[in-house]
Structure formats: C-alpha cells, structure tokens
Amino acid sequence: MKQIFFALLGVISLSACAQGPQSGAAAGKAPGAQATTAGATAPLGNAPKVGANTPEARAVAAVHMLNPRVTIEKVKAAPIAGFREAIVQGQVVYVSDDGRYLFLPGPQGALYDVAAKKDLSEQSLATVRKDLIKAIPVSERIVFAPPNPKYTVAIFTDVECAYCRKFHSEIAEYNKQGIAVQYMAFPRMGIGSPDHKKMISVWCAPDRKKALTDAKNDRPIQARDCKNTVSMQYDIGQRAGLTGTPMIIAEDGTTVGGYLPPQQLREALDRLAQGGKTSASGATDPVASTGG
C-alpha cells in the first residue's frame, strides 16, 4: 500500500522542500554525508540506535529525510543484496545501503529517489497513464471548463462516491481557479452494478453535464441505454492503477491525488508546472474489491 509512502512524503512541503530535518541536502551534500551526521549523533525522530556511518544509519537518515516524525521500529539487513530493511509505522520499506533509494514493496509499490525527492515509479506510470487516457476521446468525457483554462485535469469519477460528489459541488470554484475538468466514468461498484447502469444513463443523456450533476445530487435521472464508452473507460481506469475515486490526473499523466479543495488543487498544478511534485494524497472512496 502506498499509504505509508505518502505518510513519509507528507511532511515535505511541496512549496518548501528544503524544510526537511537535514539541511545538508540543500547545501549539496550527498545522502551518505547526511547519514554519517545522523549516525554520529542521536537519530532524528523515533528510531533504534545505530552505529555511525553504517548502512543502518543511512537507512534511518533517508527515512527521516522524508519525514522526521515517523517511527522506525527496526533496521536490519534485507533479503536482497545492497538494501536495509526498515519497519516504519508498521510497514516494511527497503533502503539502499547508500541511502539514495527507498523501495516500498506491495501491489502499489514504488521506488523513490530520496536525494532527488522523486517517485521514479510514478514517472514511468505517468507515461503509461497519459497514453491510456488518450484512448478516451474528449467527446466521450463530460467537460466543465472556464473560457481560457490554465490547466486541464482528467478525473475518473463515480456518481455515488462521497468525495466525487464533494468535488463536483465545488466545480464552479475549480473553474474559477483556471482549471478545466474532464470527467471520465469509473463506476466503482463494478460492471453490471446499479452504479454502472446509472452512469450509462448519464452518458446516454442528451445533456450529460446536467445528468451528471443531477445524479451526484440524488436527483432522479431517466434510465437510458445506448452505445456508450462507460465500460471502456472503467477498464482504462483499472489499467491506469485506480484504487479509489476520484482519481485526478494532470496533463502529463501524473496523479495529483484524490479530492483536493480548489485552491489546493491549483497550487499542486502550479508546482507540477514548475517542475515540482505533487502530494498525491487527496481523499478518495475505495473501489469494490471485486473490480467488476
């Protein structure tokens, strides 16, 4: 699960990444130099005692460089050469012996470059996601946009999920922030569910925007069926790695997260445009475990 990964990243301000516990990175020191300092003195945050200038010290320093508040229960040799295994907040992570890379195992695993503060897995997935989304024509998306948008986001949405509804209730504010929203269908209860049928009715309505707004506000919509792309969009959402709705995707394929208030979403997009990173930590509603 990436929750622990995002917990590690959470303390790193997207607008002030240099505010981490170690100022050495900002001064151009290598991860190993930071780790030596951490090992030679009391470990930052809550962590086991480790020897100075050891792979264990570098592992502790790397984790605390991401978040000084997390608890590290144990650090030991990993079952793979060149890595230490750390128990962080009840989850296993692997840190390279030089302290440069942090690997999060599991179905939603990730490889993180600690020194560069980059999710290397996300970079690869963003390219794939961007290509997948291209398969959904803009004409098959439900678009709410200001006259001259600064940014455009594609969002996999559901008519039932609470955070999707909250996001849509503020759609005018997102537009005021210069953000165009292109909704794509992801009935989170799966193919053939009442949710799926309701989203088909929305996509088959003569006025999709009104039908979507009505459905998200529990207003009755006419049951309809037609040739539609709802199931195809759902399949693409799964292939894009969706685990909860809403899933907000920037134009380069980067996930911006789940629900974020209008101003926070604009700030995240501004940072991304400036070559920064996003927190990808917005709230979502989980999809059905059956996956349709």
Side-chain angles (χ1 to χ4, degrees):
M1 298 290 287
K2 279 196 176 182
Q3 281 84 347
I4 182 64
F5 195 54
F6 297 145
L8 287 173
L9 301 182
V11 76
I12 301 173
S13 169
L14 296 177
S15 59
C17 294
Q19 294 179 357
Q22 298 281 343
S23 61
K29 292 183 181 179
Q34 274 188 323
T36 300
T37 301
T41 60
L44 293 169
N46 189 345
K49 291 183 179 179
V50 293
N53 198 23
T54 62
E56 288 77 14
R58 287 187 283 274
V60 168
V63 171
H64 279 151
M65 183 176 176
L66 298 180
N67 190 336
R69 296 194 299 262
V70 295
T71 298
I72 305 173
E73 304 289 348
K74 187 176 183 180
V75 182
K76 65 177 185 178
I80 50 177
F83 280 80
R84 299 293 103 176
E85 179 182 283
I87 308 300
V88 183
Q89 302 284 117
Q91 299 289 333
V92 176
V93 299
Y94 297 102
V95 182
S96 61
D97 286 347
D98 63 0
R100 176 66 184 265
Y101 299 104
L102 184 148
F103 173 66
L104 180 73
Q108 298 294 321
L111 179 64
Y112 194 74
D113 185 329
V114 177
K117 296 186 176 68
K118 289 184 179 180
D119 183 344
L120 302 179
S121 301
E122 174 61 23
Q123 288 181 329
S124 297
L125 287 171
T127 300
V128 174
R129 235 180 259 121
K130 183 178 178 180
D131 290 340
L132 284 171
I133 291 173
K134 286 180 182 177
I136 304 174
V138 175
S139 62
E140 285 300 313
R141 308 177 195 184
I142 300 179
V143 180
F144 291 79
N148 297 295
K150 173 71 173 179
Y151 301 111
T152 297
V153 294
I155 302 180
F156 282 102
T157 192
D158 174 75
V159 295
E160 300 291 348
C161 85
Y163 285 111
C164 298
R165 291 183 170 199
K166 182 170 178 58
F167 184 98
H168 193 63
S169 71
E170 300 172 284
I171 193 66
E173 292 302 314
Y174 291 102
N175 287 169
K176 286 181 181 178
Q177 290 288 337
I179 303 169
V181 174
Q182 298 182 349
Y183 283 125
M184 300 173 296
F186 194 91
R188 64 194 181 98
M189 297 312 294
I191 301 298
S193 65
D195 187 22
H196 177 235
K197 294 175 182 177
K198 185 179 289 187
M199 296 198 78
I200 287 176
S201 295
V202 168
W203 255 256
C204 290
D207 186 341
R208 291 176 178 173
K209 293 172 68 173
K210 182 178 185 303
L212 183 68
T213 300
D214 286 344
K216 285 177 180 281
N217 285 280
D218 283 329
R219 292 193 287 266
I221 61 172
Q222 182 178 340
R224 299 175 185 271
D225 196 5
C226 65
K227 184 178 179 180
N228 65 84
T229 60
V230 171
S231 295
M232 181 266 279
Q233 294 183 43
Y234 175 83
D235 176 65
I236 288 176
Q238 289 186 311
R239 291 164 62 192
L242 186 149
T243 58
T245 51
M247 181 186 194
I248 305 174
I249 305 172
E251 292 177 83
D252 67 350
T254 300
T255 55
V256 184
Y259 167 79
L260 290 172
Q263 185 173 346
Q264 288 186 27
L265 179 56
R266 172 59 192 259
E267 290 169 355
L269 293 171
D270 284 342
R271 287 188 293 268
L272 189 61
Q274 294 164 8
K277 57 186 178 297
T278 65
S279 62
S281 58
T284 63
D285 288 289
V287 302
S289 58
T290 58

